[in-house]
Amino acid sequence: MSSRLVLVLGDLFIPDRAAGIPAKFKKLLAPGKIGQILCLGNLTDKETYDFLRSTAPDLQIVKGDFDVEAPNLALSKVITHGSLRIGFTHGHTIIPPGDADSLLIAARHMDVDVLLWGGTHKFEAYELEGKFIVNPGSATGAMSTGWWADGEEPIPSFCLMDVQGDVLVLYVYQLRTDANGAENVGVEKVSFRKNGGASSSH
């Protein structure tokens, strides 16, 4: 049986702002584990594109604000898993950026239960008026302007979604560095049920 797992990632900015996807993340993304990849834009190099294609043949991409060499990419797409309609977009078309009400309007406009968006390089997941709003952050921890406090750096992150019927289980992977410089991958779980809201656990 093919995997139901859906990888959600974005804002990679390789090589402009990051050297590559962290090695500890690449180890987790072995071929055969993931059925589909949703890339939320700013996939700015061919090598990473090829890596993602080798991880899962079903690679869906939307256009980010720095994807200048891919003018034909759609700004948003909608897919269906189980009974959930899932919309995804980079987020640079949402004004004001990251605004919860604007994201809710976008979700309603796309007629989706789940809206995946990017652009801030910061993980977020919350339920708002029956919609599940998710930002997977930046898979490389690429620097961003205006979203982080001075001295704060983006934490590399991506999400895996497991959809069964009307339930979506979101696994959030974040690469954190401790005081000694050692890198560890932490995982959190957030569940969303259509018409039932979201709940989280660590």
Side-chain angles (χ1 to χ4, degrees), residues 11 40-43 62-68 73-75 90 92:
D11 290 311
L40 308 184
N42 293 334
L43 172 72
V62 290
K63 185 176 170 61
D65 48 348
F66 285 84
D67 286 320
V68 290
L73 286 176
L75 288 172
H90 174 256
H92 67 281

Side-chain angles (χ1 to χ4, degrees), residues 108-121:
R108 286 176 174 158
H109 179 72
M110 294 169 77
D111 189 26
V112 293
D113 305 297
V114 180
L115 178 66
L116 310 170
W117 63 288
T120 67
H121 302 211

Side-chain angles (χ1 to χ4, degrees), residues 40-82:
L40 308 184
N42 293 334
L43 172 72
T44 47
D45 76 312
K46 186 174 186 318
E47 192 178 325
T48 306
Y49 173 84
D50 292 340
F51 167 74
L52 294 177
R53 284 293 301 225
S54 71
T55 303
D58 185 358
L59 173 59
Q60 304 281 334
I61 306 173
V62 290
K63 185 176 170 61
D65 48 348
F66 285 84
D67 286 320
V68 290
E69 293 178 17
N72 298 326
L73 286 176
L75 288 172
S76 63
K77 288 186 179 181
V78 177
I79 57 168
T80 302
H81 281 281

